[in-house]
Amino acid sequence: MDQASKRGNASARASRLRIELTRPAIRSSAPRTQKTIDPFARYDNLREKGVWFNIPGPADTIDQDKGGVRSALADVGIGYIGWTYNSFANNLLPNAARSTIANQLYMGQNPTFASANFMIVTYDLSRFGISDGQIIVGAEQQYSTWDRLGPDRLGLNTLAYYQTFFDRTLELKLGYLRNQNEFTGTLFGGITGSNMSALFQGGMSTNAAPTPAVNLKYNFDDRLYNKVSVQRSISPDGAYAHISENPSGLNWSTANAGILLVEEAGYKSKAAPGVADTWLRAGVGLNSGRYTNLADSKQQRESGNNFHYIAADRQLWQSDALGSPSRGIYGGFSVMGAPPERNRISRYYELRLYAKGAFDSRPSDLIALVASNTSWSKFAVDAALAKGQLAHRETTAITGSYTAHLAPGVYAGVGLSYIHNPTSITHRPQIEHALNLLVSTLILF
């Protein structure tokens, strides 16, 4: 019995040994599922929060993480993004009525170059237990050969604090803000982005003219929202006057500026397989600033101005629903309005049709066709006619463009824009039409 027990134990040990020897082979032949790790995912929380557009991540920059500088900064909660946007416009019509730079009346009348350069730095406060907390500091430098696009400046772009409450139901952002990036934007950028001049004249702050503001956004769910702002308006005389008076952007206010209240309600859903990208929004603004009365310029400035807008963008077709659902064809429109007795632009209409990633070989390129109509204040037009000047009541433009993603962080755009009455209200017979060649570059780092 002892011998039989020993032989049985030896046989059992041999069986276990054969099982253990065969297990590696079994494991090696079994299929493995490896999860792809995005090396840039760690930087997502360091992008600026609260703006309506997606700030590019380090993967779409020219430097990415070369030298480990971005990683070292991220380790202590610091993120950054910088970019330079350069544009050129030139009227191709043979009788373009060239002028001296001092007397240029519209972009492209003379070959016109403009450059805007930005640097945004963020600091992550969520590391201290503040929900989505972030400090944002930014600077902007701009230059153009046509002074009316400027004036040239180097100054503050933003100085802001952001955090969320109640499981991201409520978003708070305050500081020196540029609300053009917080309200009514479009789903695409580039050289054919929506004209927001109708809102800037109503006091909304811009990249070159940030102002003190408090923004609150309430998210009813992951799609429906309501956003309000209490903002110190820019100058009632326009962005040019505001920047001339406050080029650094640090002043609390400018002459005759008041308080601007903005409210926007919207519905926004991101593209997903079988789900179209959609953004519907409508807003109003009320400004207490003191404006010139265009119906009677001899009167003293009067308080009160307002604007309203409605806009929609919808993905009409998905070209790669499973792989990249945001690719496809989009359509959209914008309508903006303001009282003609306070504002030179009384109505602005825009229709747009654009395609993201229309070609499989160019999945990040953008093709756009944009038509717009600007109605000028009837009071300002009548006043110009009374002085014996040539004046027009509308400006119409049709623009086609192609923006190519050439490399990480490098974009280039080219387009043509036909404009009937390219100047503001008054004109000369030689400048009723323009066919502008548009060229732009965008480099991110």
Side-chain angles (χ1 to χ4, degrees):
M1 290 178 63
D2 290 340
Q3 292 296 326
S5 176
K6 290 178 181 179
R7 285 194 300 269
N9 291 338
S11 177
R13 287 195 297 270
S15 298
R16 287 196 298 270
L17 179 60
R18 285 193 297 271
I19 293 173
E20 291 299 324
L21 288 175
T22 57
R23 278 178 178 169
I26 294 172
R27 285 195 297 266
S28 63
S29 62
R32 295 182 179 181
T33 302
Q34 291 185 342
K35 185 178 180 181
T36 302
I37 299 176
D38 182 1
F40 296 104
R42 61 176 300 201
Y43 304 108
D44 287 345
N45 199 46
L46 299 175
R47 302 185 192 186
E48 181 183 356
K49 299 175 181 179
V51 292
W52 58 260
F53 59 95
N54 292 323
I55 298 289
D60 195 15
T61 61
I62 58 174
D63 59 326
Q64 297 187 341
D65 192 25
K66 294 177 181 178
V69 174
R70 199 181 296 269
S71 293
L73 292 173
D75 288 340
V76 294
I78 298 174
Y80 71 88
I81 181 73
W83 66 95
T84 174
Y85 178 73
N86 302 279
S87 62
F88 173 81
N90 183 35
N91 188 353
L92 300 179
L93 295 181
N95 300 316
R98 304 295 189 192
S99 70
T100 62
I101 293 177
N103 296 321
Q104 185 173 340
L105 297 176
Y106 65 90
M107 186 171 179
Q109 182 178 7
N110 297 325
T112 307
F113 172 79
S115 178
N117 305 283
F118 301 85
M119 186 68 184
I120 305 290
V121 178
T122 65
Y123 184 70
D124 178 25
L125 295 174
S126 64
R127 57 202 286 120
F128 302 114
I130 300 174
S131 178
D132 298 303
Q134 190 178 74
I135 294 174
I136 308 114
V137 181
E140 187 249 15
Q141 183 269 335
Q142 68 180 28
Y143 163 82
S144 66
T145 57
W146 183 36
D147 190 50
R148 297 307 300 181
L149 289 177
D152 301 342
R153 77 178 289 262
L154 171 62
L156 185 73
N157 175 250
T158 186
L159 176 59
Y161 172 87
Y162 174 92
Q163 80 165 93
T164 63
F165 303 90
F166 312 119
D167 194 23
R168 299 181 178 176
T169 298
L170 186 65
E171 301 177 49
L172 167 68
K173 194 171 187 179
L174 57 86
Y176 280 80
L177 307 181
R178 64 271 200 242
N179 270 340
Q180 75 170 97
N181 297 330
E182 304 272 342
F183 293 87
T184 193
T186 56
L187 291 177
F188 67 95
I191 59 179
T192 60
S194 282
N195 186 334
M196 292 180 64
S197 298
L199 306 187
F200 298 157
Q201 68 182 3
M204 183 172 285
S205 54
T206 73
N207 278 310
T211 63
V214 177
N215 291 358
L216 282 172
K217 182 182 180 184
Y218 184 83
N219 299 300
F220 296 94
D221 52 31
D222 59 351
R223 297 183 178 184
L224 191 63
Y225 69 89
N226 189 74
K227 188 170 185 176
V228 297
S229 175
V230 181
Q231 176 210 306
R232 171 65 73 177
S233 75
I234 67 172
S235 170
D237 298 326
Y240 184 92
H242 181 99
I243 298 169
S244 298
E245 184 179 347
N246 182 22
S248 69
L250 293 171
N251 293 352
W252 177 261
S253 182
T254 53
N256 299 305
I259 300 298
L260 174 65
L261 304 177
V262 183
E263 179 177 12
E264 177 179 292
Y267 173 92
K268 190 173 186 179
S269 65
K270 295 182 179 180
V275 179
D277 200 328
T278 305
W279 190 11
L280 312 174
R281 62 270 193 206
V284 296
L286 302 174
N287 192 336
S288 67
R290 297 178 61 80
Y291 280 75
T292 299
N293 189 333
L294 298 179
D296 187 358
S297 59
K298 295 181 181 180
Q299 289 187 6
Q300 293 184 346
R301 289 177 177 264
E302 299 177 352
S303 297
N305 193 15
N306 64 83
F307 60 76
H308 57 270
Y309 62 87
I310 183 171
D313 287 86
R314 171 77 173 182
Q315 189 176 21
L316 306 176
W317 175 65
Q318 291 182 325
S319 59
D320 185 13
L322 297 180
S324 181
S326 64
R327 288 180 56 195
I329 297 176
Y330 293 73
F333 72 89
S334 297
V335 177
M336 303 177 185
E341 62 272 15
R342 297 281 191 277
N343 305 275
R344 291 173 66 83
I345 298 175
S346 60
R347 288 286 185 274
Y348 176 76
Y349 305 94
E350 179 179 290
L351 288 174
R352 47 190 175 267
L353 182 68
Y354 49 104
K356 295 181 179 181
F359 310 110
D360 290 338
S361 59
R362 310 290 309 172
S364 302
D365 291 1
L366 174 70
I367 304 173
L369 179 64
V370 179
S372 65
N373 177 269
T374 301
S375 295
W376 302 101
S377 164
K378 62 180 181 179
F379 298 108
V381 173
D382 290 344
L385 293 173
K387 295 177 182 178
Q389 298 174 317
L390 292 175
H392 50 268
R393 299 190 181 275
E394 295 181 338
T395 292
T396 302
I398 300 176
T399 303
S401 69
Y402 188 99
T403 303
H405 191 188
L406 302 179
V410 180
Y411 294 79
V414 62
L416 276 177
S417 181
Y418 169 75
I419 311 169
H420 179 56
N421 293 324
T423 61
S424 170
I425 299 180
T426 60
H427 65 267
R428 299 196 304 268
Q430 305 95 322
I431 56 174
E432 290 187 15
H433 307 275
L435 181 63
N436 279 352
L437 170 68
L438 306 173
V439 179
S440 70
T441 61
L442 174 64
I443 301 175
L444 302 112
F445 56 89

